Amino acid sequence: MSRLVVVSNRVNAPERPGDAPAGGLAVALSAALREYSGFWFGWSGETTDQPSDKIQIRRVNDVTVMTVDLEDADYQEYYNGYANATLWPLFHDRIDLTAYDRSFSEGYERVNRRFAEILAPLLQPDDLIWVHDYHLIPLGRELRRLGVGNPIGFFLHIPWPAPQILTTLPGHRQLVESLFAYDLVGFQTDEWLWAFESYVLGEAAGGWESDGRLRAFGRSLTARVFPIGLDVEDFQTLAASPMARRAYDRMAAHTVFRNLIVGVDRLDYSKGLEERLLGFERFLRDNPDLRREILYLQVAPTSRGEVEAYQDLRMRIDALCGRINGLYAEVDSAPIRYVNRGYRRDELAGIYRAARVGLVTPLRDGMNLVAKEYVAAQDPENPGVLVLSRFAGAARQMPDAVIINPYSREEVSEGLKIALSMPLVERIRRWRRLMDGVETSNVKVWRDSFVEALRASREPDLPFGDRLRERDPGSATAAFADVSPGGVRQAQFRAEWPTGPAA
Ligand code: GDG
């Protein structure tokens, strides 16, 4: 069987159920890799002040991970810069927060090139390569330049923006063109897929091949929707663990005679925390009789704390929580408990279960796994209610949540009221349908359908080099000048092997 090689910016496989906040991507990928041979390649999370080609190799929770450090300038320009201050806000429709800085895009290209140069010699001819997320869009193109002819797929975890937003990015055309080095490009929902197709057809004079592939820039690719899901069994095991039980008991003890409303989000402007707090304030204003009957717990660990927009957001959230609590607290209770730190994943499962309402109100979100985790953690006999933003990708799969527009304070407030007063029979009915969806569209289905589509996605009978040569003879000569017959340029890198055998 082919190996699966996963590439993502950060390689932070959770080592134990507890470990610090692992983003949605990390949680999903480590679940996916456990069942395939192969390895996970990416940035170690460390920076160095001088260039290093050292690869660290470890086994983490049955997954082989290979990591490299970033130089300080790369960290600033590629990670804090182009990835998190340019592409992230832009792809979440925040052109007001987008940094259009040329040095950032140079750093982005440089790191993608370097990743490709380190990765290429580690590949075997029949490996399937799966690249993840907006940090690494040009990686496929760079691997092709080095002669890698393997099937390469790309999955975007975040939204794809509408063409009128994307075209504000200098270099938008090159960015999209680089995606055409992949055989398969996956999106979370049809909305992001349509936005991509719309750019290709409208801005890049693209079209369709007779087999449904999308054509532009002299190449073609398969673009499809693969909604990400949970490792449901794993999550339910966590939810039944003693740690989860303890967290549940603690929350239950703190909310005697009160209903718990919970929000769990990285502290990120895309998650709609400010709008949520303002909606909650409206709820308190409009429902004086319910003020003493609820507690809203917001868990929001700091994320990307070196990026200015995130520092500003944190200050505004601090101020809002203080103001609302100041207005509505009593001597013995406060309506909001805001925790600016991460919790163990098993503790989170217990907290979700203790909450009558899960409040998930992003302004824009590729999918949103918290919505699915909240549902998976519920007691089937007394489940809570999910209040979900229509702008989360998850809303397309979860119509049985109470769907609201997070920009409308009235809708947030009304959504809360509906959720808090929903009769048990209705809660069970909705939860059952949501849970069926979470179980069906799980992380294994996501992984297997992507890998299957990647295997099937090659243009028939033509290795990539031949395709390039046919369509773009000039670049093909340059691209293949230093390629060995095995298809992969050989280069020497120093590697540190772990004590145990690495798959
Ligand atoms: C990106 C896309 C897409 C949060 N706080 C803690 C903690 N978390 C975990 C949650 C969940 C994950 O982080 C967040 O996942 P989301 O999907 O909600 O959001 P992003 O991090 O923005 O993920 C998103 C996802 O990729 C996957 O494709 O759904 O749209 O933006 O798993 O539980 N985990 C722990 N402590 C915390 O305090 N342990």
Side-chain angles (χ1 to χ4, degrees):
M1 193 169 94
S2 314
R3 297 190 312 175
L4 180 65
V5 175
V6 167
V7 191
S8 65
N9 169 60
R10 281 295 285 276
V11 180
N12 47 357
E15 313 228 353
R16 297 177 301 278
D19 260 0
L25 186 149
V27 171
L29 287 188
S30 53
L33 269 162
R34 229 165 280 141
E35 286 179 32
Y36 279 79
S37 68
F39 61 90
W40 186 358
F41 177 85
W43 175 36
S44 61
E46 301 296 323
T47 54
T48 58
D49 52 9
Q50 32 203 344
S52 161
D53 56 8
K54 197 168 83 181
I55 308 170
Q56 299 111 26
I57 304 177
R58 302 177 289 142
R59 290 284 286 177
V60 179
N61 212 358
D62 295 334
V63 174
T64 300
V65 300
M66 303 200 191
T67 53
V68 289
D69 298 341
L70 283 183
E71 282 174 54
D72 295 334
D74 294 341
Y75 176 66
Q76 288 309 338
E77 293 168 9
Y78 150 83
Y79 181 70
N80 282 335
Y82 205 73
N84 287 331
T86 301
L87 293 182
W88 176 273
L90 186 75
F91 280 42
H92 288 87
D93 291 1
R94 294 298 301 267
I95 44 181
D96 57 321
L97 297 177
T98 302
Y100 299 97
D101 186 321
R102 197 169 285 170
S103 70
F104 290 173
S105 64
E106 287 162 4
Y108 183 67
E109 291 292 333
R110 187 172 65 241
V111 170
N112 272 275
R113 208 161 40 240
R114 180 164 166 257
F115 270 26
E117 284 165 358
I118 298 175
L119 179 61
L122 303 171
L123 297 172
Q124 294 173 4
D126 61 349
D127 285 347
L128 297 170
I129 304 161
W130 187 1
V131 178
H132 289 262
D133 232 4
Y134 60 102
H135 314 82
L136 298 175
I137 292 173
L139 185 71
R141 183 196 64 207
E142 294 302 321
L143 287 169
R144 296 302 187 205
R145 279 201 179 134
L146 296 172
V148 174
N150 305 44
I152 314 182
F154 176 83
F155 183 77
L156 184 69
H157 290 257
I158 66 174
W160 184 271
Q164 56 271 40
I165 302 269
L166 184 57
T167 48
T168 66
L169 180 73
H172 57 88
R173 197 179 157 83
Q174 292 92 305
L175 193 75
V176 177
E177 183 174 7
S178 66
L179 274 175
F180 277 78
Y182 293 99
D183 299 291
L184 173 66
V185 173
F187 298 91
Q188 301 270 26
T189 74
D190 49 8
E191 198 180 343
W192 320 139
L193 171 65
W194 294 335
F196 174 68
E197 290 172 347
S198 162
Y199 179 98
V200 171
L201 302 178
E203 292 285 332
W208 303 101
E209 303 282 15
S210 56
D211 61 359
R213 292 168 68 93
L214 198 52
R215 185 187 61 242
F217 308 106
R219 303 187 199 135
S220 68
L221 55 75
T222 302
R224 270 184 51 188
V225 170
F226 301 89
I228 201 166
L230 291 187
D231 186 337
V232 181
E233 283 160 35
D234 184 62
F235 196 78
Q236 286 185 323
T237 308
L238 280 185
S241 67
M243 200 66 183
R245 186 83 231 163
R246 212 168 305 145
Y248 173 90
D249 289 343
R250 210 168 52 233
M251 288 318 301
H254 277 292
T255 50
V256 181
F257 305 127
R258 286 193 291 176
N259 282 316
L260 180 64
I261 300 165
V262 74
V264 174
D265 309 77
R266 285 185 304 99
L267 189 52
D268 191 298
Y269 46 81
S270 68
K271 303 294 180 185
L273 288 162
E274 281 176 283
E275 292 74 7
R276 189 183 310 170
L277 282 162
L278 293 167
F280 181 65
E281 182 180 34
R282 173 65 61 102
F283 173 82
L284 293 172
R285 195 195 78 181
D286 293 350
N287 298 281
D289 50 322
L290 294 178
R291 280 180 207 156
R292 291 184 67 90
E293 291 184 15
I294 50 165
L295 172 67
Y296 165 30
L297 168 67
Q298 178 63 54
V299 176
T302 299
S303 178
R304 306 170 192 169
E306 293 181 30
V307 180
E308 199 180 321
Y310 288 76
Q311 295 162 1
D312 295 348
L313 174 71
R314 184 171 170 184
M315 282 193 296
R316 290 198 303 275
I317 300 288
D318 286 352
L320 258 179
C321 288
R323 180 166 70 75
I324 299 170
N325 270 342
L327 269 175
Y328 293 105
E330 300 285 345
V331 286
D332 57 348
S333 72
I336 302 174
R337 189 164 300 165
Y338 164 52
V339 197
N340 183 213
R341 54 159 278 209
Y343 279 83
R344 294 170 50 109
R345 205 165 154 68
D346 42 10
E347 281 181 296
L348 277 188
I351 295 171
Y352 288 138
R353 195 176 175 96
R356 169 57 64 84
V357 180
L359 193 51
V360 182
T361 62
L363 306 179
R364 211 21 92 189
D365 215 331
M367 173 57 66
N368 194 296
L369 290 175
V370 169
K372 297 186 173 185
E373 289 166 5
Y374 176 75
V375 168
Q378 295 307 301
D379 173 358
E381 287 171 12
N382 185 21
V385 181
L386 176 66
V387 176
L388 180 61
S389 159
R390 56 168 296 152
F391 302 120
R396 294 181 104 74
Q397 292 186 300
M398 304 179 98
D400 286 289
V402 175
I403 303 289
I404 54 104
N405 172 356
Y407 292 98
S408 159
R409 295 174 198 180
E410 287 88 352
E411 282 198 30
V412 174
S413 168
E414 286 157 14
L416 281 172
K417 184 131 196 220
I418 291 168
L420 287 163
S421 54
M422 194 176 284
L424 178 63
V425 178
E426 176 67 1
R427 281 193 274 133
I428 292 178
R429 193 184 65 81
R430 286 179 183 244
W431 175 80
R432 192 57 267 168
R433 293 222 290 249
L434 288 170
M435 191 60 200
D436 285 348
V438 169
E439 280 172 331
T440 313
S441 181
N442 62 44
V443 76
K444 290 179 184 141
V445 171
W446 172 73
R447 171 197 66 200
D448 292 344
S449 55
F450 190 95
V451 172
E452 226 15 78
L454 180 56
R455 271 190 228 284
S457 67
R458 302 310 301 273
E459 280 185 277
D461 305 330
L462 275 185
F464 189 84
D466 294 341
R467 277 190 274 147
L468 256 187
R469 262 185 278 275
E470 269 192 350
R471 291 168 178 166
D472 189 358
S475 78
T477 315
F480 286 83
D482 60 350
V483 171
S484 72
V488 175
R489 189 168 64 101
Q490 296 302 310
Q492 290 305 314
F493 288 96
R494 192 150 64 84
E496 281 177 358
W497 289 88
T499 39

